[in-house]
Amino acid sequence: MTNDHDAPEPRPHPPTPSDDPFHYGLPSPGRHAEEVGPPDPSDAALLEALLGALGGRRGGPAALWFLVLDAEDRPLPVVLPIEHATIAPSRTVGLLLVRVLASVVEHAAPGGSVVIGYVRDEGGAVGAFERGWSRLLRALAAHEGLRIRAEVAVGPRRAGVVRGRW
């Protein structure tokens, strides 16, 4: 042991999933960074539209947000937030959501689509929550004829458009 005050203090290592009982297999910030980011200007506009609809609610318990777009991909003032969504997707809830959204798009925006926002603390990257709900919602939407224009992962410190890269 020395009294050298100029020596750097050792940095604590972040907990690994096995060290952290609250990790649940979700990615840590900074992991999977290649899976997010606006790949083109129209996706960047959709990201901004969804973030505008969210306001300051970019974290907290897991939630699903749906933004309705018209046939030219312009956001309509129709947003459906589903707060406190389960981490594991529910087929029953997913089917209800897709059917409601398909009906709204059919009546309010024929030829339109939806943007799905996956919002949670430590969000902004693809994790179990985003991956599971995306697979389910995409399958159900395809069956019901609902077009998903984009999917957005949102967290308190970052957000980006994600695609079916998982």
Side-chain angles (χ1 to χ4, degrees):
M1 180 148 84
T2 68
N3 284 334
D4 185 1
H5 296 289
D6 293 330
E9 291 186 26
R11 291 184 164 197
H13 294 287
T16 63
S18 61
D19 297 329
D20 183 358
F22 299 103
H23 189 271
Y24 297 111
L26 300 175
S28 300
R31 293 172 76 192
H32 304 290
E34 69 281 357
E35 296 179 5
V36 296
D40 65 48
S42 64
D43 283 353
L46 295 176
L47 172 62
E48 289 305 315
L50 182 67
L51 292 177
L54 287 168
R57 296 171 283 199
R58 290 185 59 165
L64 300 169
W65 284 69
F66 300 90
L67 175 65
V68 176
L69 307 174
D70 69 11
E72 284 80 40
D73 289 343
R74 293 180 302 223
L76 298 177
V78 181
V79 179
L80 176 63
I82 307 299
E83 296 182 346
H84 305 288
T86 58
I87 296 295
S90 163
R91 182 168 173 75
T92 303
V93 171
L95 186 55
L96 178 62
L97 288 171
V98 166
R99 286 183 175 164
V100 166
L101 288 164
S103 177
V104 168
V105 168
E106 180 183 333
H107 292 94
S113 60
V114 296
V115 174
I116 303 173
Y118 304 102
V119 182
R120 63 182 173 88
D121 278 341
E122 301 302 325
V126 177
F129 175 66
E130 294 83 3
R131 196 174 288 115
W133 276 104
S134 177
R135 285 181 183 145
L136 176 68
L137 293 173
R138 282 192 170 280
L140 294 172
H143 185 263
E144 294 292 320
L146 175 66
R147 186 169 67 98
I148 298 174
R149 169 59 182 83
E151 297 175 87
V152 178
V154 179
R157 293 177 295 283
R158 61 187 173 174
V161 175
V162 295
R163 297 225 181 280
R165 297 181 187 170
W166 48 80

